Structure formats: structure tokens, C-alpha cells
Amino acid sequence: AEEGEISVDGEVMGHGGPKRAADLGIEVVHQDLSLVMHGDVAQNLYLNREIKSRLPLLRQIGWLDKGAMRAGAREILEQVGMGGIVSVRQRISRLSGGQRQCVAIGRAVGWKRKIVFLDEPTAALGVRQTRHVLDLIGRLREQGIAVVLISHNMEQVMEICDRVVVLRLGRKVADVPVVELDAQTLIAYVTGLRGSE
């Protein structure tokens, strides 16, 4: 299907791509995370949002206020439940898969976003790392951030989602509150054994 429109808080989004989406408070965390592996946590959290020095001369030559970025990064880590676990100076390459995922999500939610799309956020993670990411999704919900989880893991969907939308062959075949679903019915929608709602 190539028809329809996207609206946020009743405002039609229209065209404009990622910049327009960001202006409306929408952020996407892609499956590849798009993190700079040789950079540290603070650098990654402020990627393309760097804070320049307040001193006019240093600002003019592009000098960054690393202290301000590290302080802001600590606040973001607290928001995503990583405060005291991960240092803002740690290199991304030294973090576990789950910690990297949390940094990527932190980069999305640290800018007062209203809606965050997470594309397969627990893919290739171990049990403990997966649990941390799922707990983080719950924490974001409690903060009033709408999370759109794109996943093939039906068990996780049933556990943490409030509502399930199933797309099959490019068409929406279900849009149902989780409390009205059981795992068997959900799988029937996904496999095509059950038709559109």
C-alpha cells in the first residue's frame, strides 16, 4: 500500500524526511544503531548536536564544550537507566551489545522526543541484555514517550506492547489492544490464517 497520510497530534506530517520528523518529535533507532565505534558515549549522544563553546572566539573556530556535553550525557544515561553503569567517557567499542543499544535509544530520547521507533532492538542480544532493553522500553512509556516497536518476536510484543498492529504483504491486517489478544491469535494474523480486523 502506498496511500494514506501521517499525522502527529492532529498535524499532517507531509513530506520532509528525517529533519521534518525530528522537528515533530519523532526519532528512529535503526537496527544497525548507527553508532561511531571509536567515539565515546558523550560524543555519540551528541552526534550532530554538538554544543559549541560559549566563548566567542572558541565558538567561531568550532571549539566544542566537552564539559557541557558530558554533563548532558550523564543526564541522558540516568534517563535510560545506565547512570553509574556506563561512563560518558567509555568508548562505544568497549560496551556490550545491550549497552550500545541503550546508548542508541538514549540518543533518540534525550532530545524531548515524543515518539521513538525501535527497529528490532533486541536482535542479536543475550538474555540479560534483552531484559535491560525491554525494561528500558517500559521506562520510556512511564516517561510519556510513545514507543513503536518493530519486531518479529511475538513473545516480546505480547509482554511489553499496549497495542499490536500487524502488517502482512504491505497491508494492515490487525490493529488490536494486547489485552484483547492471545499469542495464538496474533500468530494467526502474522501467518495469514486470520484476515483483516
Side-chain angles (χ1 to χ4, degrees):
E2 296 179 2
E3 300 173 1
E5 65 182 27
I6 300 172
S7 63
V8 179
D9 292 335
E11 179 185 347
V12 177
M13 183 173 160
H15 300 289
K19 174 76 171 77
R20 175 82 173 119
D23 290 344
L24 289 167
I26 301 169
E27 199 79 31
V28 179
V29 178
H30 298 282
Q31 195 168 350
D32 67 1
L33 303 185
S34 301
L35 295 172
V36 178
M37 299 304 285
H38 63 272
D40 66 24
V41 170
Q43 289 168 330
N44 273 273
L45 289 173
Y46 278 87
L47 198 62
N48 296 322
R49 293 182 172 106
E50 291 84 359
I51 300 173
K52 290 186 179 176
S53 173
R54 285 172 284 176
L55 300 173
L57 182 60
L58 295 178
R59 186 178 186 83
Q60 200 170 18
I61 62 172
W63 199 268
L64 301 181
D65 188 339
K66 292 183 180 178
M69 290 193 296
R70 286 177 183 142
R74 286 187 196 96
E75 289 180 20
I76 294 170
L77 289 179
E78 285 293 334
Q79 184 183 5
V80 298
M82 298 293 289
I85 299 171
V86 170
S87 164
V88 296
R89 294 180 188 233
Q90 272 183 278
R91 288 203 181 280
I92 294 295
S93 59
R94 295 180 179 243
L95 301 182
S96 71
Q99 290 170 337
R100 291 176 191 172
Q101 183 66 257
C102 290
V103 169
I105 294 171
R107 189 170 61 191
V109 303
W111 313 104
K112 308 296 183 246
R113 293 302 181 230
K114 295 183 282 189
I115 305 170
V116 178
F117 285 78
L118 301 179
D119 185 7
E120 298 286 356
T122 61
L125 295 184
V127 174
R128 181 182 294 176
Q129 296 171 340
T130 294
R131 182 74 261 155
H132 190 90
V133 171
L134 295 179
D135 289 346
L136 171 54
I137 293 170
R139 181 192 299 258
L140 298 181
R141 179 172 49 199
E142 290 167 9
Q143 294 171 19
I145 298 170
V147 177
V148 178
L149 174 67
I150 302 165
S151 179
H152 291 93
N153 187 316
M154 298 302 106
E155 186 179 330
Q156 289 177 11
V157 167
M158 293 295 291
E159 177 190 346
I160 65 171
C161 294
D162 297 314
R163 183 169 207 85
V164 176
V165 176
V166 179
L167 300 178
R168 181 168 170 72
L169 303 176
R171 296 200 171 275
K172 182 169 75 169
V173 296
D175 185 348
V176 188
V178 167
V179 294
E180 296 177 16
L181 271 179
D182 57 43
Q184 194 171 3
T185 305
L186 177 55
I187 290 169
Y189 280 122
V190 172
T191 59
L193 292 175
R194 187 160 178 160
S196 301
E197 276 284 301

